[in-house]
Amino acid sequence: MFRLGYLARKLAILALTLLAVATFNFILFRVLPGNPIQLQARAGNLSPEAIQRLREIYGLDQPLISQYFIYLRDVFTGQFGMSITYQRPVVDIIAERMLNTLILLSAATVLVIVLGIGLGIVAAARRGSRIDSSVVVGALVFWSLPTFWTGLILIFIFGAFLNVLPVSGTSTPGVDFTSPIASLADLARHLVLPTITLALVDIGQFVVITRSSLVDVLTEDYILTAKAKGLSRRQVVWRHGVRNALLPVVTTTALYVGLTIGGAIQVETVFSWPGMGALMYDAVLRRDYPILEATFFIFALVVIAANFVSDLLYQVLDPRVREA
Amino acid sequence: MSWLSPETRAGIRRTAGLVWEDRLGRVGLILLGSTLVVAVLGPIIFPFDPQDFGKTAADILSPPSAVHWLGTDELGRDVFRATIAGARLSLLIGLVATAISIIVGATIGIAAGYRLGFLDSLLMRITDFFLVLPALPLIIVLAALFGQSTVVLVLVIGLTSWPSTARIVRSQVLSLRERQFITRVRSLGATDYRIVTSHILSNVLPLIFANTVLVIAGSILAEATLAFLGLGDPVHVSWGTMLHFAFDSGATGRGAWWYVLPPGIGIVVVVLGFVLAGHTLDRILNPRLRSR
């Protein structure tokens, strides 16, 4: 599959990046003016004794370098401290929220990848046609939509005016579901609008990149050869074009993970979807710094992991990179 | 623009002409032109007073009427005038944040590409690190830590969006520094400072122009999103803060479409204008695609 040396180098870079993120977090939340104690003292009226006690809990009375190592140990063992607003360990709160975000993001990602790549292929295969230009214009328009506003508009249309779909939460309140299937169906109905919002805004990028990548490939000499051999257009586009054009799309998918996390924060806020994004929004509003710190750290980990996986995938898919 | 060489100025004029000839590019330029007119003249013709609250209960969240063309917000203020005032702020924040981002990105890109060696690898590791961090969570955290003011907002957006510019500039500088005209100037005894300021910079800037236009679109969206999430400056009305208060006050839940549509359409018009212009510029400045 790939050479061990390459894998080892990638793993080393991954480890360094993780360390860098943790260090960055440490500097942001502990070293810069505005460490959690100062911030909490600013937010509420803490007595000097309470501040002293908090300083001990967070280890702020120790030298910076040992604070750093304590911080690293805590972060990589998932100890993010106590939430200020919930008065519970941050890890427990995040564990409850994680699944909801995963459900939302998976649904949106499937929709975006299938529709985005599909439309991109259709547009590139008929480059210059009316279909092509409408797909491109549509992609650019959706690209320009603010995610949160798109959500608000969909709430208006489907919630307030048509009243056909639920616009808030993950389940209908006050309903006892007789079977797990009924409860899943209810969840699916709640999932429709948030998923469509996320997908609508994110799809543009996929369409544009798939299209330009396929257009690039379709002007290569070997495509001309394939056409000259008398292959049908379908065979040329799919067998010779799409296969090679999808490589840059793999990289896009990794970038998309970072993008869609930003989208999830907005969509979860607008639709009151109880996931990590809404948690981060609440943490901002209530200045709950331990939660803010933990959600940011986890989001960064996810994006770094996605980049790592896409790097490896690229190796598997593209023999040229593998040899180099 | 007198600091640009005559050839560069002619190049910019020619490029602008090419954008205008493209159908999508022209739509983009028209959208941008009209926004600029509204942002510059609008607040003079229709001044907005953020303290001009409604006098009676009927003034609160009232639908469009002859007095309030686009209705009123939850405090009884005129939505039409607020939207026009928002145009100026949103555009201004987008432009200043982009200027910061381009200056930082270009400086780092030129330093890395021109100096190479250790400085290059150090700067590129830093760039890659910021490239990989999820953008919105990062600016949310920074804005939440450093307070709610327009200045902080502009700085945070500008200082987080430079990595892609740095990457593009670096790759351009890498190919420029080996070109004959640069090696000739160097052999004539020109200092590095002179080579960078009068030869590299003028050749790099036109190439990052398309990227700059797209960065503006991203900065305006970022400002709107941060403001919507409650991290904007509550004193200054931008489209994002309007939508924040529309959502927060429950106006969206009560179907006050006149409050939610105008600021959102404003954002879409400006961002789409920059995206269309940037997309067209990219095709023009990237000659490999121009022939297709």
Side-chain angles (χ1 to χ4, degrees):
Chain A
M1 292 272 274
F2 19 68
R3 285 185 300 196
L4 272 174
Y6 175 82
L7 192 63
R9 206 174 68 231
K10 279 286 161 200
L11 278 172
I13 293 177
L14 177 73
L16 277 179
T17 316
L18 292 180
L19 191 64
V21 169
T23 310
F24 182 72
N25 240 18
F26 175 73
I27 295 171
L28 264 189
F29 287 93
R30 296 294 149 86
V31 180
L32 288 181
N35 62 55
I37 309 309
Q38 287 179 14
L39 293 168
Q40 284 181 43
R42 203 194 296 161
N45 302 316
L46 295 184
S47 65
E49 297 80 51
I51 291 177
Q52 187 52 41
R53 174 109 178 74
L54 278 171
R55 282 178 64 87
E56 278 162 25
I57 292 176
Y58 281 96
L60 291 187
D61 44 355
Q62 298 182 34
L64 205 58
I65 189 76
S66 39
Q67 280 186 48
Y68 175 64
F69 285 110
I70 294 171
Y71 186 80
L72 284 188
R73 188 200 61 205
D74 285 355
V75 154
F76 285 111
T77 49
Q79 294 170 41
F80 292 104
M82 296 282 281
S83 155
I84 298 167
T85 42
Y86 297 89
Q87 294 296 333
R88 287 170 51 208
V90 172
V91 182
D92 295 357
I93 302 167
I94 286 180
E96 289 164 12
R97 300 291 194 108
M98 196 98 85
L99 182 65
N100 286 330
T101 298
L102 267 179
I103 293 174
L104 176 63
L105 290 188
S106 330
T109 305
V110 170
L111 203 62
V112 164
I113 291 182
V114 171
L115 277 182
I117 294 179
L119 285 172
I121 292 175
V122 168
R126 297 168 193 279
R127 184 161 55 89
S129 71
R130 196 170 279 271
I131 298 177
D132 177 28
S133 50
S134 14
V135 167
V136 171
V137 172
L140 293 179
V141 170
F142 284 123
W143 195 339
S144 310
L145 292 177
T147 312
F148 63 91
W149 186 70
T150 312
L152 292 180
I153 297 303
L154 288 183
I155 289 181
F156 260 168
I157 299 174
F158 293 97
F161 293 138
L162 298 177
N163 207 3
V164 285
L165 282 168
V167 295
S168 155
T170 53
S171 62
T172 314
V175 178
D176 266 335
F177 294 106
T178 44
S179 69
I181 295 163
S183 123
L184 267 184
D186 188 56
L187 175 71
R189 272 168 52 78
H190 282 80
L191 194 57
V192 174
L193 287 182
T195 307
I196 291 179
T197 307
L198 257 186
L200 272 185
V201 179
D202 288 345
I203 210 167
Q205 204 174 13
F206 260 85
V207 172
V208 171
I209 286 169
T210 310
R211 180 187 172 279
S212 71
S213 165
L214 187 52
V215 164
D216 268 354
V217 169
L218 289 180
T219 47
E220 296 275 356
D221 287 343
Y222 63 83
I223 296 290
L224 193 67
T225 312
K227 280 183 189 157
K229 282 196 301 191
L231 296 182
S232 70
R233 183 154 113 177
R234 180 180 294 265
Q235 274 176 314
V236 171
V237 168
W238 284 95
R239 294 260 297 271
H240 296 258
V242 172
R243 270 186 175 206
N244 292 304
L246 282 185
L247 283 172
V249 180
V250 174
T251 326
T252 313
T253 312
L255 292 177
Y256 163 80
V257 172
L259 186 80
T260 197
I261 282 175
I265 296 173
Q266 302 172 52
V267 166
E268 290 183 3
T269 301
V270 169
F271 289 96
S272 313
W273 186 266
M276 298 263 297
L279 186 66
M280 189 173 204
Y281 170 73
D282 286 340
V284 168
L285 279 193
R286 298 170 183 173
R287 296 295 187 263
D288 193 336
Y289 292 98
I291 288 202
L292 198 59
E293 187 184 336
T295 43
F296 176 66
F297 187 71
I298 289 171
F299 284 149
L301 286 193
V302 170
V303 176
I304 290 168
N307 274 288
F308 180 69
V309 171
S310 105
D311 262 5
L312 293 190
L313 262 183
Y314 215 100
Q315 293 290 305
V316 178
L317 295 176
D318 192 343
R320 288 168 302 184
V321 183
R322 213 181 308 160
E323 291 311 315
Chain B
M1 294 220 258
S2 52
W3 49 278
L4 291 170
S5 67
E7 303 91 72
T8 316
R9 265 179 285 167
I12 290 175
R13 249 197 308 276
R14 198 174 56 242
T15 314
L18 284 173
V19 174
W20 181 256
E21 266 166 42
D22 183 276
R23 217 150 36 104
L24 287 184
R26 188 180 300 185
V27 174
L29 289 183
I30 291 172
L31 290 180
L32 290 182
S34 23
T35 318
L36 200 63
V37 171
V38 169
V40 173
L41 296 180
I44 301 170
I45 306 170
F46 303 102
F48 171 69
D49 177 10
Q51 305 295 326
D52 184 18
F53 304 126
K55 306 283 182 291
T56 64
D59 288 336
I60 304 295
L61 277 184
S62 65
S65 63
V67 187
H68 300 293
W69 296 347
L70 287 175
T72 59
D73 67 7
E74 83 284 357
L75 296 174
R77 298 178 296 186
D78 191 81
V79 172
F80 175 68
R81 286 165 187 264
T83 307
I84 286 176
R88 190 178 272 194
L89 190 64
S90 301
L91 213 53
L92 208 63
I93 291 178
L95 291 176
V96 178
T98 304
I100 296 173
S101 154
I102 297 296
I103 291 171
V104 175
T107 309
I108 290 182
I110 289 175
Y114 192 77
R115 277 267 169 251
L116 296 181
F118 173 72
L119 186 68
D120 180 38
S121 17
L122 178 72
L123 288 177
M124 281 306 108
R125 286 293 84 74
I126 297 175
T127 307
D128 284 348
F129 176 69
F130 278 99
L131 212 51
V132 88
L133 287 183
L136 188 64
L138 177 62
I139 53 179
I140 286 177
V141 163
L142 290 177
L145 282 175
F146 295 108
Q148 284 173 290
S149 77
T150 307
V151 176
V152 170
L153 223 57
V154 166
L155 281 176
V156 162
I157 296 170
L159 291 178
T160 48
S161 55
W162 57 267
S164 61
T165 311
R167 273 260 165 226
I168 296 170
V169 169
R170 176 178 172 273
S171 69
Q172 300 290 356
V173 173
L174 278 183
S175 79
L176 272 174
R177 72 192 300 274
E178 300 310 328
R179 296 263 188 86
Q180 235 169 24
F181 75 96
I182 299 285
T183 49
R184 278 183 192 156
V185 188
R186 193 179 292 138
S187 65
L188 285 174
T191 59
D192 284 343
Y193 176 79
R194 175 148 185 85
I195 293 174
V196 166
T197 49
S198 51
H199 299 285
I200 302 255
L201 208 56
S202 59
N203 278 291
V204 163
L205 284 183
L207 294 167
I208 60 168
F209 207 56
N211 173 60
T212 308
V213 174
L214 291 174
V215 172
I216 302 176
S219 302
I220 291 176
L221 270 182
E223 187 275 331
T225 308
L226 280 186
F228 173 74
L229 293 176
L231 288 165
D233 189 338
V235 182
H236 297 126
V237 174
S238 79
W239 290 327
T241 35
M242 285 177 77
L243 288 167
H244 170 72
F245 287 117
F247 180 66
D248 218 40
S249 67
T252 48
R254 279 187 267 166
W257 53 268
W258 59 88
Y259 191 7
V260 177
L261 282 181
I265 291 174
I267 299 169
V268 175
V269 165
V270 181
V271 173
L272 186 62
F274 281 114
V275 165
L276 289 179
H279 181 74
T280 312
L281 262 177
D282 202 27
R283 279 207 330 230
I284 292 169
L285 297 175
N286 189 344
R288 218 163 70 87
L289 289 166
R290 201 194 302 185
S291 56
R292 294 189 193 141

